[in-house]
């Protein structure tokens, strides 16, 4: 099904009208309303994990509403060409290489897609990574595409609709008190099938942050000692203890947005702050009403995009557009231990790692969400297990390795990401060698922010 073909497919439910949030957009009179079919708007959690919302690391903002930069041309970069079998200089850590680093905060950068400053507390220097091969994916004519009529249709659509329009009428929201033990909190994330939860401070009587899978990764990375050795910090620490240890007094306000803000602002805040979850707070009571994600925003745009004129750039290929990440790719060998994967997650602040074999072919994808299953299986003290073995032991059908090729159009890539309910596609050649990664952040940047002259990913 093409990006603008809706048809009668069960994959895309027809929204029901409601008088509270109906908004009119553009000359076509396209109307977007709050979704009322819960199964059509869930964030694509793995089967049997329950409801709930997950390529790039998170950061914090200090204000409720986004401040937008002046419009500037989208930066152009044409990576050097590279063809053939990848050389041995991939940016991955060998199985016997590990890093000791400090942990993360519950309201500091998360991932996600999906980048920034070094984490505090790194006590060992990691060997300089070899330069990654560059795929022959030049950005050709992107500025010209943005100047064509109709290129700003999605930008205007998102500007004219509010966060309230994209909120579910009924959804699961898990909230943790900061006095809860870390171990119980992580088990609760698994049991409820969610990847993050707002944190409530009873003393301050306010929401102070988010507990995410990134925190679990950083707790493991900080306190893991030897295989099968009990990690007492996970067993005994409370959430507030972990926040005090990691933040060391430098607490930052929770990044949030009002239901009255536009969806354009939501995309900007998510992308600019490198976060994957954006709490929607009631402007009067401060209550968390919903949590917006990249996946939900793209699905909202995908459903109602059938009512809008088709932008010309959707027919251009990924190779022509250069949308995605093609430089300095972080990968991991399937024979590397899990501790190596955690090292890369922490050091590179990426949300997923393509898993390659000795020949450089992509054989899997290990994401941050996979790490939380160590808590579910209570094997978080077995980080000597290989990445390949961890992938084979997954009891649930997760994202898998969904890929795309350079000759496919942007519209086809968007269709696949939305229909498969994944957070990224791995870009490969005909021999399954890695060329790049196309994430939800990359797509929303291209569809919504680039037409406005904003490069939030490169800022």
């Amino acid at each position: 099904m093409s990006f603008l073909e809706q048809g009668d497919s069960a994959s895309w439910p027809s929204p029901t009208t409601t008088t509270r949030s109906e908004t009119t957009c553009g000359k076509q009179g396209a109307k977007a309303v709050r979704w009322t079919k819960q199964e059509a708007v869930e964030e694509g959690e793995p089967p049997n994990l329950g409801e709930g919302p997950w390529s790039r690391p998170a950061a914090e903002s200090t204000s409720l509403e986004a401040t937008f930069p002046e419009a500037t041309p989208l930066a152009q970069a044409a990576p050097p060409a590279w063809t053939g079998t990848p050389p041995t200089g991939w940016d991955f850590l060998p199985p016997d290489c590990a890093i000791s680093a400090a942990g993360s905060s519950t309201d500091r950068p998360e991932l996600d897609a999906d980048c920034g400053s070094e984490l505090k507390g790194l006590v060992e220097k990691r060997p300089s990574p070899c330069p990654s091969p560059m795929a022959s994916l030049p950005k050709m004519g992107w500025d010209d595409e943005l100047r064509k009529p109709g290129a700003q249709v999605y930008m205007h659509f998102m500007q004219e609709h509010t966060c309230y329009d994209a909120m579910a009428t009924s959804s699961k929201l898990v909230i943790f008190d900061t006095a809860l033990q870390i171990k119980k909190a992580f088990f609760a994330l698994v049991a409820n099938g969610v990847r993050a939860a707002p944190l409530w401070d009873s003393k301050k009587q306010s929401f102070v942050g988010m507990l995410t899978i990134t925190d679990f990764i950083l707790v493991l990375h900080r306190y893991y000692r030897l295989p099968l050795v009990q990690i007492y910090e996970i067993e005994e620490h409370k959430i507030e203890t972990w926040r005090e240890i990691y933040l060391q007094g430098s607490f930052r306000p929770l990044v949030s947005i009002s239901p009255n803000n536009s969806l354009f602002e939501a995309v900007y805040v998510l992308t600019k702050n490198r976060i994957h979850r954006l709490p929607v707070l009631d402007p009067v009571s401060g209550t968390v009403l919903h949590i917006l994600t990249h996946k939900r925003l793209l699905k909202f745009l995908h459903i109602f995009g059938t009512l809008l004129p088709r932008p010309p750039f959707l027919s251009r290929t990924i190779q022509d557009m250069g949308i995605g990440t093609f430089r300095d790719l972080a990968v991991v060998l399937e024979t590397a231990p899990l501790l190596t994967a955690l090292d890369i997650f922490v050091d590179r602040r990426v949300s997923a790692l393509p898993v390659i074999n000795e020949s450089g072919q992509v054989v899997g994808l290990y994401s941050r969400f996979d790490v939380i299953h160590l808590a579910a299986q209570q094997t978080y003290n077995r980080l000597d297990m290989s990445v390949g073995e961890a992938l084979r032991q997954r009891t649930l059908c997760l994202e898998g390795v969904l890929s795309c090729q350079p000759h496919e159009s942007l519209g086809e890539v968007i269709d696949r990401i939305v229909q498969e309910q994944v957070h990224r596609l791995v870009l490969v050649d005909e021999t399954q060698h890695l060329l790049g990664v196309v994430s939800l952040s990359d797509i929303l940047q291209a569809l919504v922010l680039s037409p406005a002259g904003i490069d939030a990913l490169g800022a």
Side-chain angles (χ1 to χ4, degrees):
M1 182 175 67
S2 70
F3 180 59
L4 293 180
E5 292 175 353
Q6 184 168 7
D8 296 325
S9 171
S11 301
W12 311 118
S14 301
T16 353
T17 56
T18 173
T19 56
R20 291 188 297 173
S21 60
E22 188 173 280
T23 314
T24 303
C25 174
K27 297 181 180 180
Q28 302 297 320
K31 295 182 178 179
V33 295
R34 290 181 60 192
W35 297 331
T36 56
K37 289 189 177 181
Q38 185 62 22
E39 66 274 13
V41 296
E42 287 304 325
E43 298 303 328
E45 293 301 329
N48 301 325
L49 278 183
E51 304 171 352
W54 171 267
S55 187
R56 293 181 183 268
E60 294 301 333
S61 168
T62 57
S63 62
L64 183 63
E65 300 183 2
T67 302
F68 298 96
E70 295 182 1
T72 56
L74 181 63
Q76 302 294 313
W82 168 74
T83 57
T85 304
T88 57
W90 287 99
D91 183 14
F92 62 81
L93 295 179
D96 57 347
C97 180
I99 291 180
S100 297
S104 156
S105 137
T106 52
D107 50 3
R108 285 190 68 174
E110 199 184 342
L111 313 207
D112 113 323
D114 41 28
C115 298
S117 61
E118 296 289 337
L119 290 173
K120 294 182 179 180
L122 285 172
V123 295
E124 294 183 17
K125 291 187 178 180
R126 176 185 175 184
S128 299
C130 300
S132 299
M134 307 304 176
S136 55
L137 300 170
K139 296 183 179 180
M140 300 189 302
W142 185 215
D143 278 339
D144 295 334
E145 288 290 343
L146 294 178
R147 285 192 288 267
K148 288 183 178 180
Q152 298 181 338
V153 60
Y154 296 143
M155 177 195 75
H156 292 313
F157 177 82
M158 299 297 269
Q159 287 175 336
E160 295 169 5
H161 292 84
T162 67
C163 296
Y164 180 83
D165 296 329
M167 288 169 50
T169 55
S170 176
S171 63
K172 177 185 295 185
L173 182 63
V174 178
I175 297 175
F176 294 146
D177 192 289
T178 55
L180 184 66
Q181 287 183 331
I182 289 180
K183 180 178 179 180
K184 292 182 178 179
F186 290 138
F187 284 173
L189 289 179
V190 175
N192 288 277
V194 296
R195 309 187 184 201
L199 295 177
W200 174 260
D201 190 320
S202 299
K203 300 175 182 177
K204 298 180 179 179
Q205 288 293 296
S206 64
F207 290 97
V208 294
M210 297 279 288
L211 185 75
T212 70
I213 294 176
T214 299
D215 291 295
F216 181 63
I217 291 174
L218 290 159
V219 168
L220 290 181
H221 190 268
R222 182 179 183 120
Y223 295 117
Y224 178 80
R225 299 174 183 87
L226 294 171
L228 303 180
V229 175
Q230 188 175 13
I231 304 177
Y232 292 101
E233 289 80 3
I234 291 183
E235 307 291 334
E236 300 174 358
H237 277 186
K238 296 180 179 179
I239 296 175
E240 58 188 2
T241 307
W242 166 245
R243 284 169 52 82
E244 291 172 359
I245 291 175
Y246 178 74
L247 293 177
Q248 297 179 353
S250 59
F251 294 98
R252 298 183 180 182
L254 173 67
V255 180
S256 62
I257 199 166
S258 165
N260 300 319
N261 289 124
S262 71
L263 292 177
F264 181 91
E265 293 174 88
V267 172
Y268 179 80
V269 173
L270 281 167
T271 308
K272 177 70 175 179
N273 290 287
R274 306 294 197 270
I275 57 177
H276 298 117
R277 277 159 184 69
L278 182 60
V280 180
L281 300 187
D282 186 297
V284 177
S285 65
T287 303
V288 177
L289 304 175
H290 189 67
I291 296 179
L292 287 176
T293 64
H294 295 93
K295 185 183 291 186
R296 187 175 191 87
L297 292 175
L298 183 60
K299 191 162 189 176
F300 182 87
L301 184 59
H302 188 273
I303 290 175
F304 294 106
T306 59
L307 306 176
L308 302 172
R310 180 184 176 91
F313 57 74
L314 288 182
S315 301
R316 296 288 297 273
T317 67
I318 290 294
Q319 178 169 338
D320 290 342
M321 304 293 286
I323 295 174
T325 302
F326 316 109
R327 301 173 180 270
D328 199 22
L329 298 171
V331 299
V332 65
L333 273 174
E334 61 178 339
T335 56
L338 287 177
L339 184 59
T340 298
L342 298 191
D343 289 337
I344 302 176
F345 281 140
V346 171
D347 188 44
R348 296 293 301 276
R349 299 174 66 188
V350 293
S351 59
L353 296 172
V355 182
I356 63 173
N357 58 22
E358 297 291 345
S359 301
Q361 295 173 308
V362 179
V363 296
L365 188 70
Y366 193 74
S367 69
R368 288 176 179 260
F369 187 67
D370 292 320
V371 179
I372 198 65
H373 287 276
L374 298 176
Q377 300 165 0
Q378 299 190 24
T379 56
Y380 48 79
N381 59 349
R382 289 192 53 205
L383 300 186
D384 58 326
M385 180 193 311
S386 72
V387 173
E389 182 182 354
L391 291 177
R392 289 188 292 270
Q393 287 187 2
R394 289 193 302 203
T395 57
L396 296 172
C397 179
L398 301 181
E399 289 185 358
V401 187
L402 290 172
S403 62
C404 60
Q405 294 189 340
H407 60 78
E408 295 186 76
S409 69
L410 176 59
E412 292 173 330
V413 170
I414 294 174
D415 285 341
R416 189 171 308 150
I417 282 186
V418 174
Q419 292 171 10
E420 299 293 342
Q421 302 187 48
V422 295
H423 298 87
R424 66 199 63 80
L425 292 180
V426 179
L427 188 66
V428 296
D429 60 16
E430 294 78 3
T431 60
Q432 294 300 303
H433 286 92
L434 181 65
L435 298 179
V437 177
V438 182
S439 69
L440 293 175
S441 297
D442 297 320
I443 292 176
L444 287 172
Q445 166 68 49
L447 297 183
V448 180
L449 299 181
S450 292
I454 298 174
D455 183 11
L457 288 177

